[in-house]
Structure formats: structure tokens, C-alpha cells
């Protein structure tokens, strides 16, 4: 209780310093995931800003997609999340695109002038961050509509955003690396991928042995051992290729489809 009181006291002191009208996260907000999303925004922005305008026409690590498509995807994901949360917060109806419309918007945005494409990313991420900061404790416990007509928990949106930012920052193929990811993000990505395989009934028989973690990760029967740094294991599990991995089988096994399918059918293009 004392720690909670100290934390609330620090929060109140911050509010006083920021003054009237300042925005800050509600106490019930998922602080860890918001931190990952905001760090991911800064990381993606850095890799994007390092690219000259003409370099945006170059290929990304997503087959068939230029870097322009990746920037458009990340920009629009923030916009769609922000609009869904704004609709919840204000109660006013907002037109949200279905999956086909999302794909069309990404393709169209990829043709924008470089400055407009960069502005899409900048403005959309600011809008989303404002919406997160304006959510009350009770609204963090609500849900918003996803593109399939179902719903997704509002408190899940920061992680959904974070994973897209980190994974697609590397997809820009501009020196980004899974080794740059926060350790917690790497662990959460593994849990995400394994959870997807479990839901699909396609869990491979692997014994993942991170050289920089104390415990292995056993999947299925754990038939094939794969060793490497956690960052390199996650890169492989996410379908982005194998680097610096050692394995007990003659060849690395083929992995089942994961949640981070690339291209226009990626689930990362949606609110969920």
C-alpha cells in the first residue's frame, strides 16, 4: 500500500508541474505496453528519417512491398486505432474501413509524395497518442470494433501498435535489427507467435535455447533444438529469416504460418 501511495503521490506531483490542460495516462492504462509503443514510435521514426525521399521507393523486407507501403501501413494503423478509440470516447460514429478498404488505402497512400507520406506517419501517431492519454480508467476496460466485426480490448491496442512498429521498423531494411528491441518486446513477440500457433493447432516441435536467457522455451515435443540469441530466434519465428542460429537437425524446420504474415493480408494492417 505504501508503494501505491508513493506512486500516486508522484503522479499527482507530475500533474501539478504539467499544469491545467496537460494530458497524461490514466492510472489504469497499461504503462508497460504504452512505453513499448512510444519507444517503438521513436525507433520507427529514426529509421524512417534516416532514409532520403528517393530511398522510399526502394524495396522493403516484405516481398512485393516498397518502403512506401510499410510507412503507409504504419501511418494508417495509427489512424485507424485512433479513430476507433475516439469513437468509443466521444460516442460519435466514425466510419472505419474493412480489411479490403484498408488494403486499398495503403496501396493508394504508397503513391503519395514523400513529404505527405511522412506527414501521414507523424500526424497519425500524434493523434493516437492523444487518444490514449484522453482515455479514462473506465474506458481502458472497454472494447472497440475490429475489422472482422468483432471487438478488441482497448488495453490491447498499445501492444498491437508496439509489435507493428518494432517489426516493421526492421522491414524498412534500413539497418534496423531485432537486437535493438527491448527484452520485454522480444519475450512478448514469442508469446504472441506461440499463442497464434496454439490457437491454430500448428505448434512445431522445437526446443528454443536462447543463449542470452536462463531458460529454454519448449514447443510441442521439443524435437529440434535451435540455439541463438533471443533476438535472432524471434526474427526467425516471425518469418523474417534465420541468422546466427545453430540447430540439432540437418536443416532448420519450416515454420507454420504465424501472426505476422507479410503483405496486404497481414493482420498487422488491422486494428487487431
Amino acid at each position: 500500500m505504501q508503494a501505491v501511495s508513493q506512486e500516486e503521490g508522484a503522479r499527482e506531483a507530475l500533474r501539478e508541474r504539467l499544469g491545467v490542460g496537460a494530458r497524461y495516462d490514466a492510472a489504469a492504462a497499461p504503462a508497460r505496453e504504452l512505453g513499448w509503443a512510444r519507444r517503438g514510435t521513436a525507433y520507427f521514426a529514426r529509421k524512417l528519417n534516416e532514409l532520403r525521399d528517393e530511398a522510399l521507393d526502394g524495396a522493403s523486407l516484405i516481398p512485393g512491398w516498397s518502403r512506401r507501403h510499410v510507412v503507409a501501413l504504419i501511418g494508417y494503423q495509427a489512424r485507424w486505432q485512433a479513430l476507433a478509440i475516439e469513437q468509443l470516447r466521444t460516442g460519435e460514429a466514425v466510419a472505419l474501413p474493412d480489411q479490403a478498404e484498408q488494403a486499398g488505402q495503403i496501396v493508394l497512400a504508397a503513391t503519395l509524395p514523400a513529404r505527405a507520406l511522412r506527414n501521414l506517419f507523424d500526424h497519425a501517431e500524434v493523434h493516437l497518442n492523444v487518444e490514449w492519454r484522453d482515455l479514462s480508467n473506465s474506458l481502458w476496460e472497454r472494447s472497440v470494433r475490429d475489422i472482422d466485426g468483432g471487438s478488441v480490448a482497448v488495453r490491447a491496442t498499445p501492444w498491437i501498435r508496439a509489435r507493428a512498429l518494432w517489426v516493421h521498423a526492421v522491414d524498412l531494411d534500413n539497418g534496423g535489427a531485432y537486437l535493438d528491441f527491448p527484452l520485454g518486446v522480444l519475450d512478448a513477440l514469442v508469446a504472441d507467435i506461440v499463442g497464434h500457433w496454439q490457437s491454430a493447432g500448428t505448434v512445431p516441435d522445437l526446443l528454443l535455447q536462447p543463449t542470452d536467457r536462463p531458460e529454454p522455451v519448449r514447443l510441442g515435443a521439443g524435437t529440434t533444438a535451435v540455439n541463438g540469441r533471443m533476438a535472432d530466434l524471434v526474427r526467425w519465428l516471425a518469418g523474417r529469416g534465420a541468422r546466427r542460429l545453430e540447430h540439432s537437425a540437418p536443416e532448420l524446420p519450416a515454420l507454420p504460418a504465424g501472426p505476422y504474415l507479410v503483405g496486404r493480408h497481414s493482420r498487422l494492417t488491422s486494428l487487431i
Side-chain angles (χ1 to χ4, degrees), residues 210-228:
T211 57
D212 51 355
R213 293 286 202 283
E215 299 294 335
V217 178
R218 181 181 293 274
L219 305 180
T223 305
T224 301
V226 183
N227 302 356

Side-chain angles (χ1 to χ4, degrees), residues 9-138:
R11 188 177 293 115
E12 288 298 330
L14 175 61
R15 292 171 184 172
E16 290 181 8
R17 291 197 302 272
L18 293 176
V20 177
R23 292 185 171 95
Y24 46 83
D25 298 331
R32 182 186 63 170
E33 289 77 8
L34 282 168
W36 289 344
R38 288 165 180 156
R39 288 179 64 184
T41 296
Y43 184 69
F44 188 94
R46 175 160 62 89
K47 304 318 294 181
L48 173 58
N49 290 338
E50 289 170 355
L51 289 167
R52 298 174 65 88
D53 286 351
E54 57 269 23
L56 295 177
D57 296 323
S60 74
L61 295 183
I62 299 178
W65 270 24
S66 69
R67 291 180 174 124
R68 287 176 163 276
H69 290 90
V70 175
V71 178
L73 182 154
I74 288 297
Y76 267 120
Q77 188 210 35
R79 175 173 292 180
W80 297 325
Q81 281 194 341
L83 289 175
I85 295 171
E86 181 180 356
Q87 178 173 259
L88 171 67
R89 183 178 56 79
T90 65
E92 298 178 3
V94 174
L96 293 172
D98 60 25
Q99 193 164 19
E101 291 170 331
Q102 286 187 0
Q105 288 181 11
I106 290 170
V107 171
L108 181 61
T111 68
L112 290 170
R115 182 176 181 180
L117 190 57
R118 294 178 189 274
N119 285 341
L120 169 64
F121 167 74
D122 291 337
H123 296 166
E125 67 92 2
V126 169
H127 183 192
L128 176 57
N129 201 47
V130 167
E131 289 300 326
W132 278 334
R133 289 191 183 277
D134 280 354
L135 284 172
S136 64
N137 286 331
S138 61

Side-chain angles (χ1 to χ4, degrees), residues 178-242:
Y178 283 73
L179 290 169
D180 295 334
F181 291 18
L183 298 181
V185 169
L186 291 173
D187 293 336
L189 287 171
V190 172
D192 228 27
I193 294 166
V194 173
H196 174 84
W197 286 338
Q198 289 172 337
S199 297
T202 58
V203 179
D205 294 327
L206 297 173
L207 181 63
L208 305 176
Q209 297 179 315
T211 57
D212 51 355
R213 293 286 202 283
E215 299 294 335
V217 178
R218 181 181 293 274
L219 305 180
T223 305
T224 301
V226 183
N227 302 356
R229 287 177 294 187
M230 180 61 86
D232 293 324
L233 289 168
V234 173
R235 177 188 174 92
W236 176 56
L237 295 176
R240 265 52 177 193

